[in-house]
Amino acid sequence: MKALEATVRKTQLVARKRAHTIFGTYGPTTQIDEAEFNNNKEKEIVEEDVQENVQQENDDEDYHPMNGETYHLEKFLSNGDYYTGYWVDNLPNGQGKYWWTDGCMYVGDWSKGKMKGQGIFSWPSGAMYEGNFKNGYMDGEGTYTAPNGDTFRGCWLMDLKHGNGVKEYANGDCYDGEWCRGLQESNGKYTWKNGNYYVGEWANGTICGDGKLYWTNGNLFEGNWEDGLPKGKGTFHWADGSYYIGNWSRDPDELNGTFYPSESLLERGNFEWDPQQVFNVDLMGCTISPNDKVSVLPSQKKLAVRMSSSRPVDNNNNSRTRRMSIDGSPDSEFSRMQLSDGVGTTLVATTSNSCSDIDAMVALLESDGYKSGSPIRIPKIVKRQGITISRGHKNYELMLNLQLGIRHTVQKLGPPPTLDLDPSAFDPKEKYWTRFPPEGSKSTPRHQSCEFRWKDYCPKVFRALRTLFKVDATEYLLSICGPLRELSSPGKSGSFFYLTNDDRYMIKTMKKAEVKVLLRMLNAYYDHFRAFENTLVTRYYGLHCLKLNGPAQRKVRFVIIGNLFCTNYTIHKRFDLKGSTFGRITDKPESEIDTTTTLKDLDLNFIFKLQKSWFEEFRRQVDRDCELLEQERVMDYSLLVGVNFREGNASTGYQTPSGCRTPIENGTTEAEPIHRFTKSDVDLLLLNPAGLTNTSLGINMPARVERTFRKNDLDFQLIGEPTGELYDVTLFFGIIDILQDYDITKKLEHAYKSIQCDPNSISAVDPMAYSRRFRDYIFKVFVEDN
């Protein structure tokens, strides 16, 4: 009853205030005309009534209901903001309307001072959001209408478009697909107002990846895109049946391919067409409309309210009104998240209850008892490895023949009917020779190279392996049949390496003995991949042989393998680890070492720390893989490791990880109020607390490394002493070079080197001893992060 009476008195007072000003006042404004009173008696009575009203209003302003008591009020706050609705513990709770002095307004559900539930937020510019709120953020399903007329309907996460949504632009364009952090991402369809539309992949708000663009005139481009333009492998189709297939680029020097005219063009003899026409004419009107920017986010708005009545009053005059953020937390320097530009992103742990899940993750990342590690020198970064093979290169014809043969193999086989193969498919004699004359034949196209013969080894098995590896046949051909890059120097074995333009595959020349080993172990290799999806063993996609006719009469055997370092991350350091010491150090001076240099065991000055679940899976898989290799009597394999330091600074050549720490001896910690995290870390914390996406064993794995120090270089200490300095990294690793048989050559090498040094320090040892030593070493270099 007291609460009801107080509400009635407040309503009457507000009505009296509004009679004088639409914004109201904080005291009575009753004006007394002295001419209406002729004696002092009546004046005293009126003055007493006014004083009584003033006292009553002050009592109402100071009224504090019981803790947890909900009541309705209409209130002008100290800074001029206006609120009407339900109130509890001096905070909006339930249905209510809050009107800020800058013109922003929210009408909807509140929960203890936070916008939570269904509501409408409007801006003075005319923009409006209607939908779900959570902890002060636009979060869930909602519709946003921009001042210019753009409309978005879909999912939101912490004031950002995130998830599936449809955006209709004021100019008539429309996007329907996935969003991430406010930008188009993953897969989506963009339709222009003229009817053209694109279906495919997106990245950071631009067309990027595999996709198709359809024109209303019937033309079509399908292939790879980058920054909204065709880049890499692709095919342009005309409505009359003509098509152009090749490598696309805005740079005419990188643009090359083959034009296949339709029958109608063949009859007219018209074979000329400039691929630049696609960039200069067809794509002129296919631009993506910019995304709107919200000037003030709902989570940035503040509430000017008193602290809860249940809070004790400070004797030092601290009971005054404090301005609070929309989530109910005090507005202080460290009460919100701060993002900074640059290589890293500064993340300040929030004190708000709205991000309790983020607080928990940050607490795990920022354990006590550590200090920053010292800087690490980052080698010179090489952006693109190898030299592109173009016309005039000594291996240009070899490359063309290789691509013709692979295209013939893939197109002839088609998709596999089943992954259960007959034993005959693994027969080493299961190989097919195909003759490729320059003038062509019924089964082979015409070409401008010399005549050659082409052999496929166990084609059905490798077709099934490509299916296991989830490789699309068209994408495989576009990668292999585009420009290749020859690496600067052959490997120690004398093999040459060629890299596809998209970095997905490597083509390695092989010796006859290596081909025999692969064919011998192919059955066990296939079964191993079917049984263990996360195996670290090298992936083989095809085994072929090319025999050139003419004076050369030479055979070139090669295998197609997956590139372990096909990633958008920069691989700052790469290590080839075997567990031996003899000759296992790089002979290059430090000034010549760059990011493409492969370092060896004695160059390693880190211990890799994996999370418990990853480490347990790593141990199990290494044991399984080594058992396979030991069973097949192979040795001399190694673990190739690529390290990306999450805050590498190429301009200075050093990496200073402010988020990594070193234990302090006395157990105390140094104050680190602000820690830096990379963009990927912020994505993890804000948008995907469950973990990093696209991560598997050996691929894109978040980890930490601890720097080590060798006491004496002359002792060839295999693993240095840990220094306690930790660094955040992303790891890529796999087992490579698995085709070395322990033949008579290796046995003689073992005998000869055993005379010169410790037999346990050399690579050429029995497969059983090699497997045991390899595992012992790897499990000391990779440890569980406690």
Side-chain angles (χ1 to χ4, degrees):
M1 290 298 295
K2 289 182 180 180
L4 177 61
E5 291 173 358
T7 301
V8 173
R9 289 199 300 271
K10 285 181 178 288
T11 304
Q12 294 173 346
L13 287 172
V14 171
R16 291 168 57 189
K17 294 176 185 178
R18 286 188 170 181
H20 300 280
T21 170
I22 62 172
F23 294 105
T25 59
Y26 291 94
T29 56
T30 305
Q31 298 180 358
I32 308 300
D33 188 356
E34 294 184 1
E36 297 180 2
F37 302 98
N38 296 323
N39 55 66
N40 295 333
K41 184 69 173 178
E42 292 177 345
K43 288 182 179 181
E44 293 175 358
I45 295 174
V46 172
E47 290 174 356
E48 290 176 358
D49 290 340
V50 172
Q51 292 176 0
E52 182 179 351
N53 289 335
V54 172
Q55 182 64 35
Q56 181 177 353
E57 181 180 359
N58 291 334
D59 292 341
D60 291 338
E61 290 292 335
D62 295 335
Y63 171 73
H64 295 288
M66 297 177 62
N67 290 343
E69 182 178 347
T70 302
Y71 60 100
H72 188 278
L73 60 74
E74 189 174 359
K75 183 168 185 170
F76 286 88
L77 304 177
S78 59
N79 68 334
D81 293 350
Y82 170 77
Y83 175 80
T84 177
Y86 290 94
W87 198 261
V88 64
D89 290 340
N90 280 337
L91 290 173
N93 193 79
Q95 282 286 330
K97 178 173 72 174
Y98 195 103
W99 181 21
W100 287 268
T101 54
D102 62 0
C104 294
M105 183 174 65
Y106 171 76
V107 181
D109 297 330
W110 295 81
S111 177
K112 297 181 180 180
K114 307 173 187 178
M115 291 185 288
K116 190 173 183 179
Q118 292 294 318
I120 300 175
F121 192 98
S122 59
W123 287 262
S125 62
M128 184 180 71
Y129 170 84
E130 180 177 1
N132 197 53
F133 287 80
K134 182 179 179 181
N135 298 322
Y137 295 90
M138 298 182 289
D139 198 301
E141 295 288 334
T143 301
Y144 174 79
T145 303
N148 64 353
D150 292 353
T151 302
F152 173 82
R153 299 180 182 87
C155 298
W156 295 76
L157 181 65
M158 298 180 72
D159 286 341
L160 297 175
K161 305 178 187 73
H162 190 77
N164 190 269
V166 178
K167 181 165 185 177
E168 298 176 352
Y169 296 88
N171 63 359
D173 295 353
C174 178
Y175 173 81
D176 184 356
E178 296 296 320
W179 296 75
C180 181
R181 303 192 310 274
L183 298 173
Q184 296 95 328
E185 188 79 16
S186 189
N187 291 288
K189 178 181 179 181
Y190 192 98
T191 306
W192 286 270
K193 59 182 178 182
N194 59 7
N196 300 337
Y197 65 95
Y198 167 84
V199 180
E201 296 180 346
W202 295 72
N204 296 322
T206 62
I207 296 176
C208 188
D210 294 329
K212 299 179 181 180
L213 196 151
Y214 298 83
W215 283 266
T216 53
N217 60 8
N219 293 347
L220 161 67
F221 176 85
E222 57 178 337
N224 195 61
W225 297 74
E226 185 176 302
D227 294 332
L229 295 174
K231 178 73 173 179
K233 309 301 173 292
T235 305
F236 190 91
H237 300 266
W238 283 266
D240 64 357
S242 303
Y243 63 96
Y244 177 93
I245 182 171
N247 186 67
W248 294 79
S249 175
R250 198 72 173 89
D251 185 359
D253 296 334
E254 298 180 4
L255 187 64
N256 60 77
T258 305
F259 177 62
Y260 298 89
S262 62
E263 294 182 1
S264 59
L265 290 180
L266 286 174
E267 293 175 358
R268 289 179 290 179
N270 186 6
F271 303 126
E272 296 183 1
W273 177 74
D274 184 10
Q276 285 292 333
Q277 183 178 344
V278 173
F279 298 94
N280 299 330
V281 179
D282 297 272
L283 292 173
M284 287 302 294
C286 299
T287 57
I288 306 301
S289 299
N291 289 307
D292 51 79
K293 295 183 179 180
V294 182
S295 57
V296 179
L297 298 173
S299 59
Q300 296 174 332
K301 300 302 294 180
K302 313 298 176 186
L303 297 185
V305 298
R306 294 181 186 271
M307 302 302 291
S308 174
S309 60
S310 63
R311 189 184 302 272
V313 178
D314 193 345
N315 295 328
N316 297 326
N317 196 22
N318 290 331
S319 60
R320 57 184 173 84
T321 301
R322 291 186 62 185
R323 191 166 178 80
M324 305 183 73
S325 64
I326 200 67
D327 59 6
S329 59
D331 181 24
S332 63
E333 181 182 0
F334 297 106
S335 64
R336 62 189 181 276
M337 183 175 302
Q338 299 176 347
L339 301 179
S340 67
D341 298 331
V343 178
T345 303
T346 303
L347 178 65
V348 178
T350 172
T351 59
S352 165
N353 293 331
S354 65
C355 298
S356 58
D357 54 341
I358 299 176
D359 290 339
M361 297 190 67
V362 172
L364 290 175
L365 291 173
E366 301 181 355
S367 55
D368 292 337
Y370 293 91
K371 67 179 182 180
S372 297
S374 58
I376 290 180
R377 183 183 182 278
I378 299 298
K380 178 183 177 182
I381 295 178
V382 178
K383 293 185 178 180
R384 200 163 181 82
Q385 189 177 7
I387 302 174
T388 302
I389 302 176
S390 56
R391 189 179 299 274
H393 192 280
K394 63 178 182 179
N395 290 327
Y396 180 70
E397 287 192 357
L398 178 65
M399 181 192 73
L400 293 181
N401 296 344
L402 183 151
Q403 293 173 337
L404 281 171
I406 293 177
R407 181 182 299 176
H408 170 76
T409 299
V410 175
Q411 292 177 345
K412 178 184 66 176
L413 289 174
T418 178
L419 294 179
D420 297 326
L421 301 178
D422 294 331
S424 60
F426 298 95
D427 188 351
K429 298 179 181 179
E430 183 77 4
K431 51 192 176 184
Y432 303 92
W433 282 100
T434 304
R435 179 172 168 267
F436 281 78
E439 64 275 8
S441 64
K442 292 183 179 180
S443 60
T444 61
R446 289 181 295 174
H447 60 89
Q448 300 177 353
S449 179
C450 62
E451 181 176 335
F452 67 95
R453 299 182 67 191
W454 178 262
K455 180 193 292 186
D456 286 315
Y457 294 94
C458 302
K460 296 179 182 178
V461 178
F462 287 101
R463 178 185 61 178
L465 282 172
R466 291 193 293 269
T467 303
L468 272 178
F469 301 154
K470 298 180 176 59
V471 174
D472 180 76
T474 302
E475 294 180 355
Y476 182 70
L477 286 180
L478 288 174
S479 296
I480 299 295
C481 298
L484 300 180
R485 302 198 309 274
E486 185 180 50
L487 300 191
S488 57
S489 61
K492 184 178 179 181
S493 63
S495 300
F496 286 85
F497 293 86
Y498 302 94
L499 201 59
T500 60
N501 197 52
D502 57 7
D503 293 336
R504 290 186 178 182
Y505 307 101
M506 295 184 69
I507 301 174
K508 176 187 176 183
T509 61
M510 302 180 68
K511 298 178 182 179
K512 186 176 181 180
E514 293 176 317
V515 173
K516 290 183 176 180
V517 173
L518 179 54
L519 293 175
R520 185 191 69 199
M521 64 180 295
L522 190 56
N523 199 334
Y525 177 88
Y526 181 77
D527 293 339
H528 189 75
F529 268 93
R530 291 197 67 181
F532 307 111
E533 183 180 4
N534 289 330
T535 177
L536 300 175
V537 175
T538 304
R539 295 188 173 189
Y540 295 116
Y541 295 84
L543 181 62
H544 312 281
C545 178
L546 188 151
K547 182 178 181 181
L548 298 175
N549 291 341
Q553 288 285 327
R554 66 188 180 108
K555 286 185 179 180
V556 181
R557 303 173 182 87
F558 55 89
V559 65
I560 301 174
I561 60 179
N563 180 17
L564 185 62
F565 299 148
C566 179
T567 173
N568 292 328
Y569 288 98
T570 299
I571 303 298
H572 295 120
K573 290 193 175 185
R574 55 188 72 192
F575 298 93
D576 184 271
L577 306 177
K578 293 185 177 182
S580 57
T581 58
F582 185 79
R584 300 297 296 166
I585 190 169
T586 304
D587 54 2
K588 284 186 177 182
E590 188 173 358
S591 58
E592 297 181 9
I593 293 177
D594 55 34
T595 52
T596 64
T597 303
T598 301
L599 306 175
K600 300 179 182 179
D601 300 71
L602 294 178
D603 301 307
L604 181 66
N605 58 343
F606 298 108
I607 292 176
F608 303 101
K609 291 178 171 287
L610 304 180
Q611 298 174 9
K612 181 178 180 180
S613 58
W614 283 120
F615 179 70
E616 292 175 350
E617 175 63 22
F618 174 75
R619 285 189 65 101
R620 286 193 295 266
Q621 194 58 56
V622 170
D623 285 336
R624 295 165 183 159
D625 294 341
C626 287
E627 288 172 2
L628 167 71
L629 301 177
E630 181 181 337
Q631 172 187 334
E632 296 301 322
R633 299 292 296 170
V634 296
M635 39 75 67
D636 212 19
Y637 45 86
S638 58
L639 185 73
L640 183 63
V641 182
V643 183
N644 166 263
F645 292 94
R646 296 189 193 173
E647 293 187 11
N649 190 338
S651 61
T652 62
Y654 287 87
Q655 190 267 348
T656 306
S658 55
C660 57
R661 309 148 174 267
T662 302
I664 301 177
E665 293 181 0
N666 57 10
T668 60
T669 61
E670 294 184 359
E672 290 188 33
I674 297 178
H675 302 285
R676 297 182 63 82
F677 294 93
T678 60
K679 180 174 179 290
S680 60
D681 290 327
V682 176
D683 293 344
L684 166 64
L685 293 173
L686 295 182
L687 306 178
N688 188 18
L692 293 172
T693 59
N694 299 326
T695 299
S696 59
L697 186 65
I699 301 296
N700 193 25
M701 285 189 58
R704 295 195 298 176
V705 296
E706 182 176 1
R707 178 181 277 186
T708 59
F709 174 75
R710 288 182 174 85
K711 296 180 179 179
N712 192 341
D713 292 339
L714 297 178
D715 293 337
F716 292 107
Q717 186 179 4
L718 191 56
I719 301 176
E721 300 294 331
T723 62
E725 298 177 1
L726 300 171
Y727 303 85
D728 293 322
V729 297
T730 302
L731 296 181
F732 301 82
F733 51 82
I735 299 176
I736 64 171
D737 296 337
I738 63 170
L739 301 179
Q740 179 58 59
D741 195 11
Y742 192 57
D743 53 14
I744 186 62
T745 304
K746 287 295 178 181
K747 292 178 180 178
L748 290 175
E749 179 185 346
H750 173 79
Y752 175 73
K753 290 183 178 179
S754 298
I755 301 173
Q756 298 177 322
C757 58
D758 183 5
N760 295 323
S761 67
I762 60 179
S763 299
V765 295
D766 178 83
M768 184 179 297
Y770 191 95
S771 173
R772 182 173 57 254
R773 184 183 64 186
F774 178 80
R775 279 185 272 189
D776 291 342
Y777 171 66
I778 293 301
F779 294 150
K780 292 178 182 177
V781 173
F782 284 79
V783 298
E784 180 181 341
D785 191 351
N786 295 320

